[in-house]
């Protein structure tokens, strides 16, 4: 105890100590510093975290390249443009990707420096509620609070040890050598679907295995069906309700056995297996016990107060992938969490994060973008719902793109029950309108080209608890894909022109 007291007495001091420099960590640090707090950010690798260096940014750069390849095929086959893809210069492609990442990294470092955040590249371990041992760097004490933002790592499967070449995870798939001719993707969530789409665009034979009965099981069932149809039309083999029972790496690939819902197990040889079965919080070596904390059974560090993202130990806050649901493990949610915690530590009273209004996007081909409740989720929560769905090809711009897709809206039927408030949400949602009318919009779900750029409107609709008449009065430009969103709400408001 005397040694600990001496260590604390000799500690360096800052207002806020942030452990982890990913999206949640550096957003906390930036906002806290701009509010006049003295901030130390400890990161053992590179600021920007998984999203910037191994996930969101490099994967979307690669998916953009894949979109260009697909566009050339469409130009030739549908529009009569005599263009061909001679091949993919992997070195040039990855160089462009790495340049985008590097420029973003320099930008983050520059913002932190300009704000006056002290960035320490080291490993941090809690030694108490507000004390942190930094190696190298000594001991630090936080006057106002410590923020845990250590992120997550890919989950793996028993017997499948990633080697960065034949068996890869989402962290290293982009950096494995060359383009494989065949890939088995295990996991049909957003990450698995994106990587299946990317590899197919680049010419690989792709098999996608998902244990649930449909792809994107957390999304609306109609979304999952449309994505499955779109991937199959592109030549991806999709096995839902299936499991990888065995995978044996050998010199040039992996021999895999997959159990499927009907029929005998399938056996195939692929050059690469990509494991995309989710991510796990990183807490090893963090010293949670010394601070009076413990992760839950799933490894998350739950806040006692969602409005402040503060744990049961006063002064210790959590952001990003360490948070359990309803946090979504999404980079843009982490930014919001970082702002919330920083403003809380600065003595302000920010609004809690409304997780019900956080958009979810899958950047595959076709893309998906959603916000709010699925139809199934709304019914499970006791809502009497009304839905309206419109194919994108019902609009002129949808026909131009020719990739299919849909707009689906889930709303409360007028006179329905009041849904209970969710942790971290904005409170109960009440029905709007008389019986038989359409009330509050509960969810907006999109599938198709560029829908990732269209979902912001849905976020405002759900977040502001609008009803269809609120949206129907606003004019959507013609001809655009967003016109389909406007038409769905016009119909729900009883004013539809092209839907009956």
């Amino acid at each position: 105890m005397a040694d600990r007291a001496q260590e604390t007495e000799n500690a360096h001091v800052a207002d806020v100590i942030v452990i982890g420099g990913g999206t949640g960590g550096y957003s906390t640090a930036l906002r806290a510093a701009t509010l006049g707090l003295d901030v130390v950010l400890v990161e053992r690798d590179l600021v920007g975290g998984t999203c910037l260096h191994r996930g969101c940014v490099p994967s979307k750069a690669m998916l953009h390249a894949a979109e260009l390849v697909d566009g050339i095929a469409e130009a030739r086959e549908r529009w009569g443009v005599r263009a061909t893809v001679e091949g993919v210069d992997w070195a040039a492609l990855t160089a462009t990707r790495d340049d985008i990442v590097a420029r973003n990294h320099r930008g983050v470092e520059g913002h932190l420096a300009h704000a006056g955040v002290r960035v320490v590249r080291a490993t941090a371990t809690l030694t108490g509620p507000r004390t942190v041992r930094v190696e190298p760097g000594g001991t630090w004490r936080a006057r106002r609070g410590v923020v845990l933002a250590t992120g997550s790592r890919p989950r793996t499967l028993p017997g499948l040890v990633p080697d960065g070449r034949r068996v890869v995870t989402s962290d290293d798939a982009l950096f494995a050598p060359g383009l494989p001719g065949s890939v088995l993707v295990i996991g049909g969530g957003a990450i698995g679907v994106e990587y299946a789409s990317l590899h197919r665009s680049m010419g690989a034979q792709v098999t996608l295995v998902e244990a649930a009965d449909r792809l994107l099981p957390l999304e609306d069932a109609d979304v999952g069906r449309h994505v499955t149809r779109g991937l199959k039309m592109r030549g991806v083999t999709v096995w839902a309700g299936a499991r990888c029972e065995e995978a044996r790496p050998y010199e040039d690939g992996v021999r895999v056995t997959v159990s499927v819902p009907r029929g005998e197990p399938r056996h195939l040889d692929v050059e690469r297996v990509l494991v995309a079965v989710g991510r796990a919080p990183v807490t090893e070596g963090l010293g949670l016990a010394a601070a009076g904390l413990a992760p839950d059974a799933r490894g998350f560090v739950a806040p006692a107060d969602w409005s402040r993202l503060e744990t049961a130990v006063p002064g210790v806050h959590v952001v990003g992938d360490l948070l359990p649901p309803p946090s979504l493990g999404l980079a843009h949610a982490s930014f919001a969490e970082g702002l919330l915690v920083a403003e809380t530590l600065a003595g302000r009273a920010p609004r809690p994060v409304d997780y019900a209004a956080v958009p979810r996007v899958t950047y595959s081909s076709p893309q998906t973008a959603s916000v709010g409740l699925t139809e199934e989720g709304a019914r499970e929560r006791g809502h009497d719902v009304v839905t309206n769905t419109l194919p994108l090809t019902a609009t002129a711009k949808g026909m131009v793109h020719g990739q299919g897709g849909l707009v689906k809206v889930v709303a409360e039927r007028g006179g329905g029950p009041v849904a209970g408030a969710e942790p971290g949400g904005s409170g109960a949602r009440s029905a709007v309108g008389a019986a038989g009318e359409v009330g509050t919009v509960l969810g907006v779900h999109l599938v198709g080209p560029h829908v990732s750029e269209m979902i912001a409107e849905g976020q405002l609709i759900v977040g502001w608890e609008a009803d269809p008449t609120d949206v129907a009065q606003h004019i959507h430009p013609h001809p655009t894909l967003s016109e389909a969103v406007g038409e769905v709400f016009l119909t729900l408001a009883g004013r539809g022109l092209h839907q009956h």
Side-chain angles (χ1 to χ4, degrees):
M1 294 294 293
D3 290 343
R4 179 67 57 81
Q6 184 68 36
E7 182 181 73
T8 302
E9 183 179 336
N10 296 331
H12 307 288
V13 179
D15 291 327
V16 179
I17 301 171
V18 181
I19 304 176
T23 51
Y26 81 70
S27 61
T28 305
L30 276 174
R31 181 60 177 148
T34 59
L35 291 172
L37 300 181
D38 179 26
V39 182
V40 171
L41 172 62
V42 186
E43 168 56 56
R44 63 186 178 190
D45 194 2
L46 299 173
V47 292
T50 295
C51 180
L52 175 53
H53 297 284
R54 297 177 294 280
C56 319
V57 174
S59 67
K60 276 53 183 181
M62 300 285 275
L63 283 160
H64 176 67
E67 184 180 7
L68 296 176
V69 173
D70 292 338
I72 293 172
E74 180 191 351
R76 181 182 65 253
E77 297 166 7
R78 187 162 181 252
W79 296 99
V81 178
R82 296 175 183 174
T84 59
V85 177
E86 296 180 3
V88 175
D89 185 335
W90 186 251
L93 190 157
T94 55
T96 300
R97 174 201 69 198
D98 294 346
D99 177 63
I100 292 168
V101 170
R103 282 190 285 147
N104 275 272
H105 180 224
R106 289 194 297 272
V108 172
E109 288 188 318
H111 287 309
L112 290 167
H114 184 264
V117 175
R118 287 180 280 180
V119 178
V120 180
R121 188 165 182 178
T123 299
T125 305
L126 294 165
T127 58
R130 298 198 186 189
T131 55
V132 180
R133 182 183 300 115
V134 178
E135 299 177 356
T139 298
W140 286 82
R141 179 169 58 83
R143 297 188 190 92
R144 300 209 181 188
V146 173
V147 182
L148 308 181
T150 49
S152 63
R153 64 170 183 275
R155 296 185 186 274
T156 56
L157 294 173
L160 268 179
V161 180
D163 62 10
R165 183 173 66 89
R166 296 166 300 178
V167 179
V168 298
T169 69
S170 58
D171 269 9
D172 52 26
L174 297 177
F175 308 98
L179 283 165
S182 56
V183 181
L184 174 75
V185 179
I186 304 174
I191 294 174
V193 167
E194 287 183 358
Y195 277 99
S197 180
L198 168 64
H199 284 86
R200 183 61 193 138
S201 297
M202 294 299 181
Q205 294 298 313
V206 179
T207 302
L208 178 56
V209 174
E210 166 56 42
D213 61 0
R214 67 174 189 264
L215 298 185
L216 301 178
L218 300 181
E219 296 295 343
D220 192 272
D222 286 331
V223 170
R225 281 192 287 270
H226 269 69
V227 168
T228 300
R229 185 182 305 125
L231 291 174
K232 286 182 174 179
M233 289 178 64
R234 296 179 55 211
V236 176
T237 299
V238 177
W239 291 333
R243 293 182 180 276
C244 180
E245 300 293 349
E246 187 178 34
R248 295 184 179 179
Y250 57 91
E251 182 61 30
D252 298 318
V254 185
R255 185 161 292 121
V256 182
T257 300
V258 178
S259 63
V260 294
R262 292 175 294 277
E264 297 295 321
R266 309 295 177 89
H267 305 278
L268 63 159
D269 286 86
V270 294
E271 291 184 25
R272 188 168 295 164
V273 170
L274 197 163
V275 182
V277 293
R279 299 184 67 86
V282 173
T283 58
E284 296 85 353
L286 186 54
L288 292 176
L293 295 168
D296 67 16
R298 298 165 295 176
F300 296 113
V301 180
D305 183 352
W306 280 90
S307 70
R308 298 165 54 88
L309 296 180
E310 188 171 25
T311 68
V313 177
V316 180
H317 298 256
V318 189
V319 298
D321 290 354
L322 289 186
L323 287 168
S327 180
L328 303 173
L330 300 171
H332 43 285
S334 297
F335 284 130
E337 291 158 358
L339 292 171
L340 168 66
V341 169
E343 291 169 8
T344 297
L345 290 169
R348 300 194 174 191
R351 290 184 180 182
V353 176
D354 184 0
Y355 289 103
V358 175
R360 309 177 298 275
V361 178
T362 304
Y363 297 84
S364 54
S365 179
Q367 290 186 359
T368 78
S370 305
V371 64
L373 296 177
T374 65
E375 180 180 350
E376 307 97 308
R379 295 188 190 280
E380 288 171 1
R381 297 187 186 202
H383 294 280
D384 180 14
V385 304
V386 59
T387 67
N388 190 26
T389 302
L390 181 72
L392 285 185
T393 50
T395 67
K397 195 64 182 294
M399 293 180 190
V400 170
H401 283 283
Q403 296 178 22
L406 64 83
V407 175
K408 179 175 181 177
V409 171
V410 180
E412 185 84 75
R413 194 183 301 277
V418 176
E422 287 297 307
S426 59
R429 297 176 181 275
S430 60
V432 177
E437 296 179 352
V438 180
T440 306
V441 177
L442 303 173
V444 178
H445 309 277
L446 312 176
V447 182
H450 310 302
V451 296
S452 58
E453 307 295 341
M454 294 165 56
I455 196 58
E457 177 182 12
Q459 177 188 22
L460 296 178
I461 293 167
V462 171
W464 288 344
E465 300 186 343
D467 65 56
T469 58
D470 295 324
V471 184
Q473 66 179 316
H474 297 290
I475 300 170
H476 290 72
H478 171 79
T480 63
L481 294 173
S482 68
E483 191 177 10
V485 177
E487 185 67 34
V488 166
F489 283 103
L490 279 167
T491 302
L492 284 171
R495 301 176 60 199
L497 291 175
H498 303 101
Q499 253 190 314
H500 305 283

